[in-house]
Amino acid sequence: EVHVGVYALMGAAGALAGFSRMTIALAVIFIEITMNMYLLLPLIMVIMLSKTVADQFQPGVVDLVLEMNPDIHLLEDDLSEDREIAIQSLTAHDACTPDVYVLRKYEPLQKIMSMLLQTSFSGYPIVADDDRLVGFVLRPRLILMLSERSSGGSPNEIMSLMEMAEIFPETTHWSTPLASAYHRFVSSGLQHLCVIDEYHTLLGILSRTDFSKLCRYGAEGVEEVQHLIKRKEEAVEAGKVDGEQSTDRKS
């Protein structure tokens, strides 16, 4: 005869699994509480069944809380099949951010300071006079450089940014399928992916913020994909097709 407390225990384990989506950790916790290894198998079955059913309806509480924080952008290992089908006509250029703040190889100290105060981006591309991408400098390196120059540097002092920049930043061609760019971004653990054309001219940037929009659950994710498709259709109607779209660079 099974004690009624066992049913209560299994119910509590199932409820917690559906709420938190924890599996192994939850099973270990309940085994430590009960000190009964005979309950391991039924606990595992209840926890896995509860998690599987809950996954069909909505994400777990941890994912929901993280989505509420605008500073955190989570990326799924793989896009859902329907999401990949929806974006199969989109390229990296269609989803990138065209409003890019860029720096030149040599910039005055005052301009760098103003850009850091006005923006909150984690990195900035460096372009040559003909707008070719030649490097990428991270925000922490710029802040470190400013802190070192704060005591004796002049605001008009010209700084060489190539000394602290990545001279071979991660790039992708504008015509790369968006799904392929996403898989490369996730598998390589990138933070930024610069979109360029045949002449290495910077067209835009793909960041975790851009890709995280494709991973949103429910209506928000569908609306984001529809927005990208509509934006591409408007560009085609305006005659800005393929790699001919202009990039709004701010320097």
Side-chain angles (χ1 to χ4, degrees):
E1 184 179 353
V2 179
H3 191 276
V4 66
V6 175
Y7 293 106
L9 182 72
M10 296 300 166
L16 285 174
F19 175 77
S20 66
R21 309 300 164 83
M22 292 192 301
T23 53
I24 298 177
L26 196 58
V28 171
I29 290 173
F30 274 90
I31 290 299
E32 290 181 347
I33 292 175
T34 60
M35 298 297 291
N36 188 345
M37 288 298 297
Y38 293 105
L39 296 178
L40 179 60
L41 183 58
L43 274 173
I44 291 177
M45 294 177 62
V46 169
I47 290 173
M48 292 305 300
L49 179 61
S50 178
K51 179 184 181 302
T52 302
V53 172
D55 285 339
Q56 304 302 314
F57 293 95
Q58 64 178 13
V61 62
V62 176
D63 294 327
L64 293 175
V65 171
L66 290 176
E67 285 184 4
M68 294 172 63
N69 189 336
D71 297 325
I72 298 178
H73 306 289
L74 297 180
L75 301 181
E76 300 289 343
D77 292 336
D78 290 301
L79 293 172
S80 61
E81 184 177 353
D82 58 338
R83 196 62 56 86
E84 292 217 21
I85 294 175
I87 66 173
Q88 63 182 358
S89 63
L90 299 176
T91 65
H93 190 220
D94 297 325
C96 72
T97 300
D99 300 327
V100 182
Y101 282 83
V102 299
L103 293 168
R104 304 293 176 178
K105 293 182 181 179
Y106 301 94
E107 294 282 8
L109 198 62
Q110 180 65 37
K111 180 179 178 180
I112 299 173
M113 188 180 304
S114 298
M115 178 174 287
L116 292 176
L117 291 174
Q118 295 172 5
T119 65
S120 58
F121 302 119
S122 59
Y124 303 89
I126 301 176
V127 298
D129 294 336
D130 56 357
D131 289 333
R132 287 184 304 104
L133 179 67
V134 295
F136 195 92
V137 61
L138 298 176
R139 185 184 186 90
R141 293 189 179 183
L142 292 175
I143 294 176
L144 178 61
M145 183 257 312
L146 289 176
S147 64
E148 294 175 349
R149 293 290 195 279
S150 59
S151 56
S154 170
N156 297 322
E157 180 182 357
I158 302 299
M159 306 302 302
S160 175
L161 299 181
M162 294 303 295
E163 298 177 359
M164 63 187 75
E166 301 175 20
I167 59 175
F168 298 109
E170 293 287 343
T171 61
T172 187
H173 192 261
W174 65 267
S175 61
T176 302
L178 183 55
S180 299
Y182 177 87
H183 292 308
R184 175 188 171 190
F185 193 93
V186 174
S187 61
S188 301
L190 303 179
Q191 297 295 323
H192 306 89
L193 188 60
C194 298
V195 181
I196 59 174
D197 64 6
E198 294 82 357
Y199 306 102
H200 219 72
T201 302
L202 179 67
L203 300 178
I205 289 182
L206 284 167
S207 64
R208 295 184 68 88
T209 303
D210 299 311
F211 282 123
S212 65
K213 296 176 182 178
L214 300 177
C215 299
R216 291 176 177 172
Y217 293 96
E220 289 187 0
V222 174
E223 290 176 1
E224 184 59 34
V225 173
Q226 291 175 344
H227 170 72
L228 292 177
I229 295 175
K230 182 179 180 181
R231 190 173 74 174
K232 180 174 183 177
E233 292 175 348
E234 292 175 348
V236 172
E237 292 176 358
K240 299 177 180 179
V241 295
D242 298 338
E244 299 173 2
Q245 292 191 21
S246 61
T247 302
D248 298 328
R249 298 180 185 84
K250 302 176 182 179
S251 58

